[in-house]
């Protein structure tokens, strides 16, 4: 499996603040992760970045000694390619809006 841009949702049993700190420290020590979200009440962890999903889950399991269950993996590289093909529409609208404002101010 190649290294692509993924967003992965995992279930990790976070019972107390000590477990929360342990999981957070393990996630912050991984440079391949761009962003993360820890939901303590729902015992879910969401991480995004350029990584191999199974490797990240194994690293978290080894560092925290907690059971890690992968719930969902989304490949975001396909979405990025589609977004690059589309031209931004807001720039044209902003330019037209400023031209109209200038014309109304001059009139």
């Amino acid at each position: 499996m190649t290294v692509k841009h993924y967003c992965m949702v995992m279930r990790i049993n976070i019972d107390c603040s000590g477990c929360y700190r342990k999981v957070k420290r393990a996630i912050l020590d991984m440079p391949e992760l761009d962003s993360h979200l820890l939901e303590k009440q729902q015992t879910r962890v969401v991480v995004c970045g350029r990584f191999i999903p199974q490797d990240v889950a194994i690293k978290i399991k080894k560092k925290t000694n907690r059971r890690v269950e992968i719930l969902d993996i989304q490949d975001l590289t396909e979405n990025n390619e589609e977004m690059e093909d589309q031209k931004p529409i807001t720039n044209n609208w902003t330019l037209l809006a400023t031209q109209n404002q200038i014309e109304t101010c001059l009139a």
Side-chain angles (χ1 to χ4, degrees):
M1 189 175 245
T2 61
V3 178
K4 296 181 181 177
H5 196 81
Y6 290 104
C7 194
M8 179 171 62
V9 180
M10 299 174 284
R11 178 178 294 143
I12 302 173
N13 193 12
I14 302 172
D15 295 332
C16 60
S17 59
C19 299
Y20 179 84
R21 275 186 271 128
K22 196 185 280 190
V23 171
K24 187 172 182 177
R25 191 177 311 126
I27 289 172
L28 290 175
D29 286 342
M30 294 185 210
E32 60 266 18
L33 300 180
D34 295 335
S35 62
H36 66 278
L37 174 67
L38 289 145
E39 298 176 355
K40 190 174 180 180
Q41 298 294 327
Q42 298 168 345
T43 67
R44 288 190 181 164
V45 177
V46 181
V47 293
C48 295
R50 295 178 101 34
F51 58 86
I52 299 173
Q54 292 81 3
D55 291 349
V56 170
I58 290 170
K59 285 180 185 178
I60 293 172
K61 163 92 172 91
K62 285 182 179 178
K63 288 183 178 182
T64 62
N65 201 18
R66 312 292 290 170
R67 187 175 64 129
V68 177
E69 181 181 345
I70 298 174
L71 299 177
D72 186 30
I73 301 172
Q74 292 180 350
D75 186 5
L76 299 178
T77 53
E78 296 171 0
N79 295 339
N80 288 341
E81 291 171 1
E82 292 173 4
M83 294 291 280
E84 290 174 0
D85 293 340
Q86 297 176 354
K87 293 182 180 178
I89 300 170
T90 56
N91 290 343
N92 295 336
W93 182 83
T94 307
L95 181 62
L96 291 174
T98 54
Q99 286 177 351
N100 290 338
Q101 289 172 353
I102 292 171
E103 289 173 1
T104 54
C105 290
L106 293 175

